[in-house]
Amino acid sequence: MNATENRVRIIETKVLSDDWYVLKKTTFDYLRRDNVWQRQSRETYDRGNGATILLFNRERHTVVLTRQFRFPAFVNGHDGMLIEAAAGLLDDASPEERIRAEVEEETGYRIQHVEKVFEAFMSPGSVTEKLFFFIADYDAESRIGKGGGLKDEGRT
C-alpha cells in the first residue's frame, strides 16, 4: 500500500468563506485500495488547533467547568448555554502555554502543573482542528480572579 501522501492529488481548492474562520472546498483524486483513482470533493473548516483542560480538586473530588453560549448549539434547537471544560484555540502558542492562559481567563484559577493526557481530532470529517487534552489539580488558594472569559470574546 502506498503512503497516504502518494494516494491524494489535490486538484483545486476554493475558499468559500473567510469570515469567522476559513471554509474551503477541495477537489482531489484519491487512490483507493483497488488501485482506482476516484475524484472526490470535501469542505473543510479550519479554525486552528486548540486545548482543553479538566481541573480536579483531589481533596473535595470536584471539577471546575464553565458555562458558555454556543451559537451552533442554539441554531440546532438547544438554548445554546453549554457546560464545558475550559478550552481555547492555540493562537500560535504551545498547547500548554495556551491552556494555562485559558484557565485563568475562563475560571480565574492559576494552575501550577498541567499534564497532557492525549490529543485528538474532534470532528475529522469536516473540521481540521486537533485538540490537546490536559488535566490539572486546583484548590481554593489557586483562585486569583473571578474568571468568566474575555469581554472581546463575548463573555463575562
Side-chain angles (χ1 to χ4, degrees):
M1 182 64 63
N2 292 324
T4 304
E5 63 188 27
N6 297 325
R7 297 176 63 196
V8 178
R9 295 181 188 152
I10 307 277
I11 305 302
E12 178 182 33
T13 301
K14 292 181 184 178
V15 175
L16 302 178
S17 176
D18 190 1
D19 186 12
W20 189 248
Y21 299 108
V22 179
L23 177 63
K24 295 179 182 177
K25 180 176 183 178
T26 303
T27 302
F28 60 97
D29 289 337
Y30 180 74
L31 182 60
R32 302 182 327 197
R33 283 191 246 173
D34 62 2
N35 284 323
V36 173
W37 286 95
Q38 182 179 40
R39 179 77 36 106
Q40 299 183 21
S41 69
R42 297 288 185 274
E43 291 179 2
T44 55
Y45 191 53
D46 187 353
R47 44 180 267 115
N49 294 327
T52 187
I53 191 164
L54 185 63
L55 297 178
F56 181 67
N57 182 301
R58 293 178 191 273
E59 183 178 303
R60 296 177 60 210
H61 298 279
T62 57
V63 296
V64 173
L65 300 172
T66 64
R67 187 167 192 252
Q68 298 182 46
F69 176 73
R70 299 297 189 185
F71 184 72
F74 176 78
V75 298
N76 196 21
H78 190 274
D79 74 356
M81 297 303 295
L82 299 182
I83 305 296
E84 307 174 355
L89 296 177
L90 300 185
D91 297 329
D92 298 321
S94 73
E96 183 176 317
E97 177 184 11
R98 191 62 227 146
I99 200 58
R100 287 177 182 279
E102 286 293 334
V103 165
E104 284 190 33
E105 291 169 10
E106 293 186 8
T107 70
Y109 287 93
R110 178 169 290 155
I111 52 175
Q112 300 303 315
H113 175 73
V114 298
E115 180 182 343
K116 181 180 168 191
V117 182
F118 65 96
E119 57 190 68
F121 289 94
M122 296 307 297
S123 189
S126 59
V127 180
T128 62
E129 178 184 37
K130 179 176 18 174
L131 202 55
F132 296 83
F133 290 78
F134 293 90
I135 57 172
D137 291 327
Y138 81 95
D139 57 28
E141 291 76 41
S142 57
R143 186 99 193 236
I144 62 157
K146 68 180 209 172
L150 300 177
K151 191 173 187 176
D152 66 337
E153 293 180 357
R155 302 187 194 146
T156 67

Coordinates of all heavy atoms in Angstrom, one line a residue, residues 34-66:
D34 N -8.2 -0.6 -4.4 CA -8.3 -1.4 -5.6 C -7.5 -0.7 -6.7 O -7.6 -1.1 -7.9 CB -9.7 -1.6 -6.0 CG -10.5 -0.4 -6.4 OD1 -9.9 0.7 -6.3 OD2 -11.7 -0.5 -6.7
N35 N -6.6 0.3 -6.4 CA -5.8 1.0 -7.3 C -6.5 1.8 -8.4 O -6.0 2.1 -9.5 CB -4.7 0.1 -8.0 CG -3.6 -0.3 -7.1 OD1 -3.2 0.6 -6.3 ND2 -3.2 -1.5 -7.1
V36 N -7.7 2.2 -8.1 CA -8.5 3.1 -9.0 C -8.5 4.5 -8.3 O -8.8 4.6 -7.1 CB -9.9 2.5 -9.1 CG1 -10.8 3.5 -9.9 CG2 -9.9 1.1 -9.8
W37 N -8.2 5.5 -9.2 CA -8.3 6.9 -8.7 C -9.8 7.3 -8.7 O -10.5 7.1 -9.7 CB -7.5 7.8 -9.6 CG -6.0 7.6 -9.4 CD1 -5.1 6.8 -10.1 CD2 -5.2 8.3 -8.4 NE1 -3.9 6.9 -9.6 CE2 -3.9 7.8 -8.5 CE3 -5.5 9.2 -7.4 CZ2 -2.8 8.2 -7.7 CZ3 -4.5 9.6 -6.6 CH2 -3.2 9.1 -6.7
Q38 N -10.2 7.9 -7.7 CA -11.6 8.4 -7.6 C -11.6 9.9 -7.3 O -10.9 10.3 -6.3 CB -12.3 7.6 -6.5 CG -13.7 8.0 -6.3 CD -14.4 7.2 -5.2 OE1 -13.8 7.0 -4.2 NE2 -15.7 6.8 -5.5
R39 N -12.3 10.7 -8.0 CA -12.5 12.1 -7.8 C -13.4 12.3 -6.7 O -14.5 11.8 -6.7 CB -12.9 12.8 -9.1 CG -13.2 14.3 -9.1 CD -12.0 15.2 -9.1 NE -10.8 14.8 -9.9 CZ -10.5 15.4 -11.1 NH1 -11.2 16.3 -11.6 NH2 -9.4 15.0 -11.7
Q40 N -13.0 13.1 -5.7 CA -13.9 13.5 -4.5 C -13.8 15.0 -4.3 O -12.9 15.6 -4.7 CB -13.4 12.7 -3.3 CG -13.5 11.2 -3.4 CD -13.1 10.5 -2.2 OE1 -13.2 11.0 -1.1 NE2 -12.8 9.2 -2.3
S41 N -14.7 15.5 -3.5 CA -14.6 16.8 -3.0 C -15.1 16.9 -1.6 O -16.0 16.1 -1.2 CB -15.4 17.8 -3.9 OG -16.8 17.6 -3.8
R42 N -14.5 17.7 -0.8 CA -14.8 17.9 0.6 C -14.7 19.3 1.0 O -13.9 20.1 0.5 CB -13.9 17.1 1.5 CG -13.9 15.6 1.3 CD -15.2 15.0 1.9 NE -15.1 13.5 1.8 CZ -15.5 12.8 0.8 NH1 -15.9 13.4 -0.3 NH2 -15.5 11.5 0.8
E43 N -15.6 19.7 1.9 CA -15.5 21.0 2.6 C -14.8 20.9 3.9 O -15.0 19.9 4.6 CB -16.8 21.7 2.8 CG -17.5 22.0 1.5 CD -18.9 22.6 1.7 OE1 -19.3 22.8 2.8 OE2 -19.5 22.9 0.7
T44 N -13.8 21.7 4.2 CA -13.1 21.7 5.4 C -13.2 23.0 6.1 O -13.0 24.1 5.5 CB -11.6 21.3 5.3 OG1 -11.0 22.2 4.3 CG2 -11.5 19.9 4.8
Y45 N -13.4 23.0 7.4 CA -13.5 24.2 8.2 C -12.2 24.3 9.0 O -12.0 23.4 9.9 CB -14.8 24.1 9.1 CG -15.1 25.4 9.8 CD1 -15.3 26.6 9.1 CD2 -15.4 25.4 11.1 CE1 -15.7 27.7 9.7 CE2 -15.8 26.5 11.8 CZ -15.9 27.7 11.1 OH -16.3 28.8 11.8
D46 N -11.4 25.3 8.8 CA -10.2 25.5 9.5 C -10.3 26.6 10.6 O -10.4 27.8 10.2 CB -9.0 25.8 8.5 CG -7.7 25.8 9.2 OD1 -7.6 25.7 10.4 OD2 -6.7 25.9 8.4
R47 N -10.3 26.2 11.8 CA -10.3 27.2 12.9 C -9.1 27.1 13.8 O -9.0 27.8 14.8 CB -11.6 26.9 13.7 CG -11.8 25.5 14.1 CD -13.0 25.2 14.9 NE -12.7 25.2 16.3 CZ -13.1 26.1 17.2 NH1 -13.9 27.0 16.8 NH2 -12.8 26.0 18.5
G48 N -8.1 26.4 13.4 CA -6.9 26.3 14.2 C -7.0 25.1 15.2 O -8.1 24.6 15.4
N49 N -5.9 24.8 15.8 CA -5.9 23.8 16.9 C -6.2 24.4 18.2 O -6.1 25.6 18.4 CB -4.5 23.1 16.9 CG -4.3 22.3 15.6 OD1 -5.2 21.8 15.0 ND2 -3.1 22.3 15.1
G50 N -6.6 23.6 19.2 CA -7.0 24.1 20.5 C -6.5 23.2 21.6 O -5.9 22.1 21.4
A51 N -6.9 23.6 22.8 CA -6.5 22.8 24.0 C -7.7 22.9 25.0 O -8.4 23.9 25.0 CB -5.2 23.4 24.6
T52 N -7.8 21.9 25.8 CA -8.9 21.9 26.8 C -8.3 21.2 28.1 O -7.3 20.5 28.0 CB -10.2 21.2 26.4 OG1 -11.2 21.3 27.4 CG2 -9.9 19.7 26.1
I53 N -8.9 21.5 29.2 CA -8.4 21.0 30.5 C -9.5 20.7 31.5 O -10.5 21.4 31.5 CB -7.4 22.0 31.1 CG1 -6.6 21.4 32.3 CG2 -8.1 23.3 31.5 CD1 -5.4 22.2 32.7
L54 N -9.3 19.7 32.2 CA -10.2 19.3 33.3 C -9.5 19.6 34.6 O -8.4 19.0 34.9 CB -10.7 17.9 33.3 CG -11.7 17.5 34.3 CD1 -13.0 18.3 34.1 CD2 -12.0 16.0 34.3
L55 N -10.0 20.6 35.4 CA -9.5 21.0 36.7 C -10.1 20.1 37.7 O -11.3 20.0 37.8 CB -9.7 22.4 37.0 CG -9.1 23.4 36.1 CD1 -9.5 24.9 36.5 CD2 -7.6 23.3 36.0
F56 N -9.3 19.5 38.6 CA -9.7 18.5 39.5 C -9.2 18.8 40.9 O -8.0 19.1 41.1 CB -9.3 17.1 39.1 CG -9.8 16.0 40.1 CD1 -11.1 15.7 40.2 CD2 -8.9 15.3 40.9 CE1 -11.6 14.7 41.1 CE2 -9.3 14.3 41.7 CZ -10.6 14.0 41.8
N57 N -10.1 18.9 41.9 CA -9.7 19.0 43.3 C -9.7 17.7 44.0 O -10.8 17.1 44.2 CB -10.6 20.0 44.0 CG -10.2 20.3 45.4 OD1 -10.1 19.4 46.2 ND2 -10.0 21.6 45.7
R58 N -8.5 17.2 44.3 CA -8.4 15.8 44.8 C -9.0 15.7 46.2 O -9.6 14.6 46.5 CB -6.9 15.4 44.9 CG -6.3 15.2 43.5 CD -4.9 14.8 43.5 NE -4.3 14.9 42.2 CZ -4.3 13.9 41.3 NH1 -4.8 12.8 41.6 NH2 -3.7 14.1 40.2
E59 N -8.9 16.7 47.0 CA -9.4 16.7 48.4 C -10.9 16.6 48.4 O -11.6 15.9 49.1 CB -8.9 17.9 49.1 CG -9.3 17.9 50.6 CD -8.7 19.1 51.3 OE1 -7.5 19.3 51.3 OE2 -9.5 19.9 51.9
R60 N -11.6 17.5 47.6 CA -13.0 17.6 47.6 C -13.7 16.8 46.5 O -14.9 16.7 46.4 CB -13.4 19.1 47.3 CG -12.9 20.0 48.5 CD -13.2 21.4 48.3 NE -14.7 21.6 48.1 CZ -15.2 22.6 47.4 NH1 -14.5 23.4 46.8 NH2 -16.5 22.7 47.4
H61 N -12.9 16.2 45.6 CA -13.4 15.4 44.5 C -14.4 16.2 43.6 O -15.5 15.7 43.3 CB -14.1 14.1 45.0 CG -13.1 13.2 45.7 ND1 -12.3 12.3 45.0 CD2 -12.9 13.0 47.0 CE1 -11.5 11.7 45.9 NE2 -11.9 12.1 47.1
T62 N -14.0 17.4 43.2 CA -14.8 18.3 42.4 C -14.0 18.7 41.2 O -12.8 18.6 41.2 CB -15.2 19.5 43.2 OG1 -14.0 20.2 43.7 CG2 -16.1 19.2 44.4
V63 N -14.7 19.1 40.2 CA -14.1 19.7 39.0 C -14.6 21.1 38.7 O -15.7 21.5 39.3 CB -14.4 18.8 37.7 CG1 -13.8 17.4 37.9 CG2 -15.9 18.7 37.4
V64 N -13.9 21.8 37.9 CA -14.4 23.2 37.5 C -14.7 23.2 36.1 O -13.9 22.8 35.2 CB -13.2 24.2 37.8 CG1 -13.7 25.6 37.2 CG2 -12.9 24.3 39.2
L65 N -16.0 23.6 35.8 CA -16.5 23.7 34.4 C -16.9 25.1 34.1 O -17.1 25.9 35.1 CB -17.6 22.7 34.2 CG -17.3 21.2 34.4 CD1 -18.5 20.3 34.4 CD2 -16.2 20.7 33.4
T66 N -17.1 25.4 32.9 CA -17.6 26.7 32.5 C -19.0 26.6 31.9 O -19.4 25.5 31.4 CB -16.6 27.5 31.5 OG1 -16.6 26.7 30.3 CG2 -15.2 27.5 32.1

